[in-house]
Amino acid sequence: MQQQQTSASFGVDEARRVLTDVFAPWVQDLGLSVEALDHEPPKDAASDWQPGAILRMAFSERLCRHGGVVCGQALMALADTAMVIAILAANRGYRPMTTVDQTTHFMRAVASSDVLADARVVRLGRTMSFGRVTLLSAADNKQVAMVSSAFAML
């Protein structure tokens, strides 16, 4: 297990390293990439701004169920992984954690498209953290699913 590392310089490169070094090989097989991290609000941020991360899951026939639709299991793994990266961004570094709960509402099927996960930290706590993830089809930017989750901070 890695030790907690907190740094003001936690950025996309470090998030990509964590994605490669910390997650199980089958998660890496999903073809995920870190697109962006948000840990400081922009100057014109709304009062309800939340830190987070955007991850991309590259389309692959291996992730599809019969009929060419990306399977729900892959979408849920994307959401879970994106939320971990978002919490690390908000924390400004690596901290071990484990998923306690994840609720997914599927809204429409996605086929032949990358999927984007916009993960936002609703509450970053010492022992528990909470978040929400919006999954979008990269082809048309339409919402595919919405996810809420809770993590125990170890």
Side-chain angles (χ1 to χ4, degrees), residues 7-11 37-41 49 51-52 88-92 120:
S7 167
S9 65
F10 184 85
L37 297 178
D38 299 314
H39 44 67
E40 288 191 24
W49 178 89
L88 296 180
N91 190 59
R92 304 278 177 91
R120 298 291 148 186

Side-chain angles (χ1 to χ4, degrees), residues 8 18 25 32 35 44 67 69 81 92 110 119 128 135 139:
V18 169
L32 305 182
E35 301 280 307
D44 59 347
V69 173
T81 305
R92 304 278 177 91
V110 61
M128 291 288 295
L135 298 179

Side-chain angles (χ1 to χ4, degrees), residues 54-97:
I54 297 175
L55 271 66
R56 176 182 296 265
M57 182 170 69
F59 176 77
S60 169
E61 291 290 336
R62 290 179 42 94
L63 302 178
C64 294
R65 63 177 175 81
H66 184 72
V69 173
V70 178
C71 71
Q73 295 90 333
L75 295 172
M76 292 172 71
L78 166 61
D80 185 72
T81 305
M83 199 63 244
V84 169
I85 297 297
I87 291 170
L88 296 180
N91 190 59
R92 304 278 177 91
Y94 181 79
R95 182 173 178 194
M97 67 189 83

Side-chain angles (χ1 to χ4, degrees), residues 80-138:
D80 185 72
T81 305
M83 199 63 244
V84 169
I85 297 297
I87 291 170
L88 296 180
N91 190 59
R92 304 278 177 91
Y94 181 79
R95 182 173 178 194
M97 67 189 83
T98 189
T99 309
V100 173
D101 180 66
Q102 179 172 295
T103 302
T104 305
H105 299 279
F106 297 101
M107 302 169 75
R108 64 189 281 271
V110 61
S112 302
S113 174
D114 290 0
V115 179
L116 298 172
D118 184 355
R120 298 291 148 186
V121 178
V122 175
R123 180 178 178 274
L124 180 67
R126 188 177 56 79
T127 60
M128 291 288 295
S129 293
F130 302 87
R132 63 177 171 76
V133 182
T134 303
L135 298 179
L136 305 157
S137 168

